[in-house]
Amino acid sequence: MKKADLISGMVLAVFGLLMLAFVIPMQIEEAPAGYVSPRLVPNLAMIVIVGLSGLLIVKSLRQADAPSLLPVVVFSRSEMIALLKVSAVFAVALVLFWLGTPLGSGLALIAGTLLLLGEHRPLILVLMPAGLLLATWVLFYKVLGTAIV
């Protein structure tokens, strides 16, 4: 686990630094003087990611001498199957979105995930996607006055 923490901390630190140095400046324009820059939130998020990954690296280096308590196999077969099922739900939702049906994509994403999590009550399977999608529609179309697609 310590090795995984060290590697993931280094990968996240490199990712955050690359985003700060190259991606955010190239993709997000500066605001005029007197306005809050649109780069503010992405920069803050990347700074937090780099800081937390630095803490993860330090923590994993400090515990280098402690014995590992984890078994050799980190992920069980059932966990891998669950990961594949959830990935399939996201793939179906993406395909439906690319085909031009955001509503179908949202329904597939919410209802498919609920089914995978073991929810089998029909009322929940109907009302939760309907309520979430209705709330999204009200927010974007009525409150913000913009379209999603």
Side-chain angles (χ1 to χ4, degrees), residues 39-60:
R39 294 181 184 179
L40 177 67
V41 174
N43 280 333
L44 288 175
M46 289 303 115
I47 290 169
V48 168
I49 287 174
V50 169
L52 291 175
S53 62
L55 289 174
L56 185 62
I57 292 169
V58 169
K59 182 194 90 149
S60 65

Side-chain angles (χ1 to χ4, degrees), residues 5 7 23 36 38 46 62 70 74 79 97 105 110 122-123 130 143:
D5 284 346
I7 292 171
V23 177
V36 176
M46 289 303 115
R62 290 177 121 193
L70 291 177
V74 178
E79 290 171 334
F97 188 79
S105 174
I110 298 167
L123 192 60
V143 175

Side-chain angles (χ1 to χ4, degrees), residues 8 15 19 21 24 26 33 42 54-55 94 97 104-106 120 126 131 144 148:
S8 62
F15 169 76
M19 292 290 284
I24 293 173
M26 288 191 317
L55 289 174
L94 278 173
F97 188 79
S105 174
H120 296 292
V126 171
L144 298 175
I148 296 173

Side-chain angles (χ1 to χ4, degrees), residues 16-149:
L17 291 172
L18 287 174
M19 292 290 284
L20 282 169
F22 300 109
V23 177
I24 293 173
M26 288 191 317
Q27 296 294 322
I28 303 174
E29 297 177 10
E30 274 292 330
Y35 290 95
V36 176
S37 174
R39 294 181 184 179
L40 177 67
V41 174
N43 280 333
L44 288 175
M46 289 303 115
I47 290 169
V48 168
I49 287 174
V50 169
L52 291 175
S53 62
L55 289 174
L56 185 62
I57 292 169
V58 169
K59 182 194 90 149
S60 65
L61 290 176
R62 290 177 121 193
Q63 297 177 347
D65 298 333
S68 177
L69 301 175
L70 291 177
V72 175
V73 177
V74 178
F75 299 110
S76 68
R77 182 172 188 233
S78 62
E79 290 171 334
M80 292 305 289
I81 291 172
L83 176 67
L84 290 174
K85 287 179 181 178
V86 170
S87 298
V89 167
F90 275 94
V92 167
L94 278 173
V95 167
L96 287 174
F97 188 79
W98 285 330
L99 292 175
T101 59
L103 183 62
S105 174
L107 286 172
L109 187 62
I110 298 167
T113 307
L114 284 172
L115 283 171
L116 288 178
L117 291 173
E119 183 61 58
H120 296 292
R121 294 176 286 185
L123 192 60
I124 298 294
L125 287 172
V126 171
L127 290 180
M128 188 173 292
L132 288 171
L133 293 171
L134 179 65
T136 303
W137 176 80
V138 167
L139 174 68
F140 281 99
Y141 285 91
K142 297 300 179 186
V143 175
L144 298 175
T146 183
I148 296 173
V149 179

